Amino acid sequence: MAAGAAEAAVAAVEEVGSAGQFEELLRLKAKSLLVVHFWAPWAPQCAQMNEVMAELAKELPQVSFVKLEAEGVPEVSEKYEISSVPTFLFFKNSQKIDRLDGAHAPELTKKVQRHASSGSFLPSANEHLKEDLNLRLKKLTHAAPCMLFMKGTPQEPRCGFSKQMVEILHKHNIQFSSFDIFSDEEVRQGLKAYSSWPTYPQLYVSGELIGGLDIIKELEASEELDTICPKAPKLEERLKVLTNKASVMLFMKGNKQELKENGELLPILRGEN
């Protein structure tokens, strides 16, 4: 009985082997939630997530689950910017509505359940959501004087273009904050329309789009980059500000309440001796 149930669960997860088959599946499953796992046979985490999908397929028969070998159907992987496995895409009405990068079983389960339970939005609701998203994007682009929207983080870029962008900004001592667009699919898709710029990374200064990697390289070559982006304060400048912060400044290990090595000095400064 157990073996039969396992086989039925595995069978509930379809496998796609070509771009044509994928497009046909999008059309056939347009009225339901479609979850597509971009996987690779050499990645053990993908095998684990296939098991998670099989369990979800058993619990949620109204949801369609598909696995697609990312390297076997490169045209589909490139179209949807699949740069690592496992990656999950969520489709409704033949349109991508969400994305999950990485082997995060609880997050996958949560997203599947949420999208499976949500119905279609009315046009008025869609307009309201669009307005809310634009406000959010405006806040994000203004979150720091210089904002970089990239794949991954400055410490761990997840694409070559983002890595090059970070290297240029660091090379020119530019002070910036960043946002990982893989962490929020709504922001990832919404910012493309908001800025009319279809690719990442994207660099903003004072909320205004400067451009992607090619533009930044051009600005670097023309020596304009240093005049556009805010510089991180040099150590000498920081020290000057700190030493002039008060008429008397004490640099010590610890603080007044938790003295470490300056136990004899503070009473002298307080005039207690």
Side-chain angles (χ1 to χ4, degrees), residues 118-134 186:
S118 64
S120 300
F121 294 105
L122 295 173
S124 59
N126 267 331
E127 289 300 318
H128 179 65
L129 287 174
K130 186 176 180 180
E131 288 177 11
D132 288 346
L133 176 58
N134 283 342
E186 186 180 48

Short mmCIF file of all heavy atoms in Angstrom, two decimals, residues 118-134 186:
data_model
loop_
_atom_site.label_atom_id
_atom_site.label_comp_id
_atom_site.label_asym_id
_atom_site.label_seq_id
_atom_site.Cartn_x
_atom_site.Cartn_y
_atom_site.Cartn_z
N SER A 118 -5.80 31.61 -2.97
CA SER A 118 -6.20 32.94 -3.44
C SER A 118 -6.86 32.85 -4.80
O SER A 118 -6.40 32.14 -5.68
CB SER A 118 -4.98 33.87 -3.52
OG SER A 118 -4.07 33.39 -4.49
N GLY A 119 -7.96 33.58 -4.96
CA GLY A 119 -8.67 33.58 -6.23
C GLY A 119 -8.17 34.67 -7.13
O GLY A 119 -7.20 35.37 -6.84
N SER A 120 -8.83 34.85 -8.24
CA SER A 120 -8.46 35.93 -9.17
C SER A 120 -8.89 37.27 -8.60
O SER A 120 -9.94 37.39 -7.98
CB SER A 120 -9.14 35.71 -10.53
OG SER A 120 -8.73 34.48 -11.09
N PHE A 121 -8.09 38.29 -8.84
CA PHE A 121 -8.41 39.62 -8.35
C PHE A 121 -9.32 40.34 -9.34
O PHE A 121 -9.21 40.17 -10.55
CB PHE A 121 -7.13 40.45 -8.16
CG PHE A 121 -6.25 39.92 -7.09
CD1 PHE A 121 -5.09 39.24 -7.41
CD2 PHE A 121 -6.58 40.09 -5.75
CE1 PHE A 121 -4.26 38.76 -6.41
CE2 PHE A 121 -5.76 39.61 -4.76
CZ PHE A 121 -4.59 38.94 -5.08
N LEU A 122 -10.20 41.15 -8.80
CA LEU A 122 -11.01 42.01 -9.66
C LEU A 122 -10.14 43.13 -10.21
O LEU A 122 -9.14 43.50 -9.60
CB LEU A 122 -12.16 42.61 -8.84
CG LEU A 122 -13.19 41.59 -8.30
CD1 LEU A 122 -14.17 42.29 -7.39
CD2 LEU A 122 -13.92 40.89 -9.44
N PRO A 123 -10.48 43.70 -11.35
CA PRO A 123 -9.66 44.77 -11.93
C PRO A 123 -9.40 45.91 -10.96
O PRO A 123 -8.30 46.43 -10.90
CB PRO A 123 -10.52 45.23 -13.12
CG PRO A 123 -11.31 44.03 -13.51
CD PRO A 123 -11.59 43.31 -12.22
N SER A 124 -10.43 46.30 -10.19
CA SER A 124 -10.22 47.40 -9.25
C SER A 124 -9.20 47.04 -8.19
O SER A 124 -8.39 47.86 -7.78
CB SER A 124 -11.55 47.77 -8.58
OG SER A 124 -12.09 46.65 -7.89
N ALA A 125 -9.23 45.77 -7.75
CA ALA A 125 -8.26 45.33 -6.76
C ALA A 125 -6.87 45.31 -7.35
O ALA A 125 -5.88 45.64 -6.69
CB ALA A 125 -8.64 43.93 -6.25
N ASN A 126 -6.77 44.90 -8.61
CA ASN A 126 -5.47 44.90 -9.29
C ASN A 126 -4.88 46.30 -9.35
O ASN A 126 -3.68 46.50 -9.15
CB ASN A 126 -5.62 44.35 -10.71
CG ASN A 126 -5.37 42.86 -10.77
OD1 ASN A 126 -4.61 42.33 -9.96
ND2 ASN A 126 -6.01 42.18 -11.70
N GLU A 127 -5.71 47.28 -9.65
CA GLU A 127 -5.25 48.67 -9.72
C GLU A 127 -4.75 49.14 -8.36
O GLU A 127 -3.74 49.82 -8.26
CB GLU A 127 -6.38 49.57 -10.22
CG GLU A 127 -6.72 49.39 -11.69
CD GLU A 127 -5.53 49.68 -12.59
OE1 GLU A 127 -4.80 50.66 -12.33
OE2 GLU A 127 -5.31 48.91 -13.54
N HIS A 128 -5.50 48.75 -7.32
CA HIS A 128 -5.11 49.13 -5.96
C HIS A 128 -3.76 48.53 -5.60
O HIS A 128 -2.89 49.20 -5.03
CB HIS A 128 -6.19 48.69 -4.97
CG HIS A 128 -5.88 49.02 -3.55
ND1 HIS A 128 -5.79 50.33 -3.10
CD2 HIS A 128 -5.60 48.23 -2.48
CE1 HIS A 128 -5.50 50.33 -1.82
NE2 HIS A 128 -5.38 49.07 -1.41
N LEU A 129 -3.58 47.23 -5.96
CA LEU A 129 -2.31 46.56 -5.67
C LEU A 129 -1.16 47.22 -6.43
O LEU A 129 -0.05 47.35 -5.90
CB LEU A 129 -2.41 45.08 -6.06
CG LEU A 129 -3.25 44.19 -5.14
CD1 LEU A 129 -3.38 42.80 -5.73
CD2 LEU A 129 -2.63 44.11 -3.74
N LYS A 130 -1.43 47.65 -7.67
CA LYS A 130 -0.39 48.29 -8.47
C LYS A 130 0.04 49.61 -7.83
O LYS A 130 1.22 49.95 -7.78
CB LYS A 130 -0.92 48.52 -9.89
CG LYS A 130 0.13 49.06 -10.85
CD LYS A 130 -0.43 49.17 -12.25
CE LYS A 130 0.63 49.70 -13.21
NZ LYS A 130 0.09 49.82 -14.60
N GLU A 131 -0.95 50.36 -7.32
CA GLU A 131 -0.63 51.63 -6.66
C GLU A 131 0.22 51.39 -5.42
O GLU A 131 1.20 52.10 -5.16
CB GLU A 131 -1.93 52.35 -6.28
CG GLU A 131 -2.69 52.93 -7.47
CD GLU A 131 -3.99 53.57 -7.05
OE1 GLU A 131 -4.19 53.74 -5.84
OE2 GLU A 131 -4.81 53.88 -7.93
N ASP A 132 -0.16 50.38 -4.62
CA ASP A 132 0.59 50.05 -3.41
C ASP A 132 2.01 49.64 -3.74
O ASP A 132 2.96 50.02 -3.06
CB ASP A 132 -0.10 48.92 -2.64
CG ASP A 132 -1.38 49.38 -1.96
OD1 ASP A 132 -1.59 50.61 -1.87
OD2 ASP A 132 -2.17 48.53 -1.53
N LEU A 133 2.18 48.85 -4.81
CA LEU A 133 3.50 48.41 -5.22
C LEU A 133 4.36 49.59 -5.66
O LEU A 133 5.54 49.68 -5.31
CB LEU A 133 3.40 47.38 -6.34
CG LEU A 133 4.73 46.88 -6.93
CD1 LEU A 133 5.60 46.26 -5.84
CD2 LEU A 133 4.49 45.89 -8.05
N ASN A 134 3.78 50.51 -6.41
CA ASN A 134 4.54 51.68 -6.86
C ASN A 134 5.01 52.53 -5.68
O ASN A 134 6.13 53.06 -5.69
CB ASN A 134 3.70 52.52 -7.82
CG ASN A 134 3.63 51.93 -9.21
OD1 ASN A 134 4.45 51.09 -9.57
ND2 ASN A 134 2.64 52.34 -9.98
N GLU A 186 7.77 40.15 -6.17
CA GLU A 186 6.94 41.31 -6.49
C GLU A 186 7.81 42.51 -6.86
O GLU A 186 7.56 43.21 -7.84
CB GLU A 186 6.04 41.65 -5.31
CG GLU A 186 5.03 42.75 -5.60
CD GLU A 186 4.15 43.07 -4.41
OE1 GLU A 186 4.69 43.24 -3.29
OE2 GLU A 186 2.92 43.14 -4.58
#
